[in-house]
């Protein structure tokens, strides 16, 4: 039950935030609904967009291999619980 968790969309994420992958595009097959902790965040990357690296709470199978962390556009996530 996640009723006690606060979810925010579009807010600036920080290292240590608990996030959930919410994008329904190409990678949703593997990552949609998966949760992890933000280990790095860049507000303005090479493309002018926010990017983050996430350490998954549980390894995620991706094209037949298991990954413990991934890097994506920050917009593909919602912040579940902000770090203090």
């Amino acid at each position: 039950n996640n009723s006690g968790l606060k979810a925010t969309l579009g807010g600036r994420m920080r290292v240590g935030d608990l996030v959930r992958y919410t994008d329904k595009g190409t990678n949703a097959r593997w990552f949609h609904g998966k949760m992890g902790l933000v280990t790095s965040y860049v507000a303005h990357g090479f493309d002018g967009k926010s990017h983050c690296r996430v350490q998954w709470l549980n390894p995620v199978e991706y094209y037949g291999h298991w990954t413990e962390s991934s890097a994506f556009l920050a917009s593909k996530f919602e912040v579940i619980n902000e770090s203090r």
Side-chain angles (χ1 to χ4, degrees):
N1 182 351
N2 292 338
S3 61
L5 298 177
K6 179 176 106 179
T8 58
L9 291 171
R12 183 175 172 141
M13 63 174 55
R14 295 181 293 194
V15 171
D17 284 353
L18 178 65
V19 294
R20 178 185 298 126
Y21 190 93
T22 57
D23 189 72
K24 294 182 180 175
T26 306
N27 292 311
R29 173 180 173 185
W30 299 280
F31 296 101
H32 186 76
K34 304 296 189 219
M35 294 174 54
L37 296 172
V38 177
T39 58
S40 68
Y41 174 81
V42 177
H44 301 285
F46 65 94
D47 57 1
K49 298 178 182 177
S50 300
H51 295 259
C52 65
R53 176 165 287 280
V54 171
Q55 179 77 35
W56 300 111
L57 297 182
N58 296 299
V60 177
E61 188 174 7
Y62 180 65
Y63 283 110
H65 299 282
W66 292 92
T67 184
E68 295 182 3
S69 67
S70 303
F72 286 107
L73 288 171
S75 62
K76 295 186 181 289
F77 294 89
E78 68 177 335
V79 176
I80 299 299
N81 196 5
E82 295 177 356
S83 63
R84 306 265 177 227

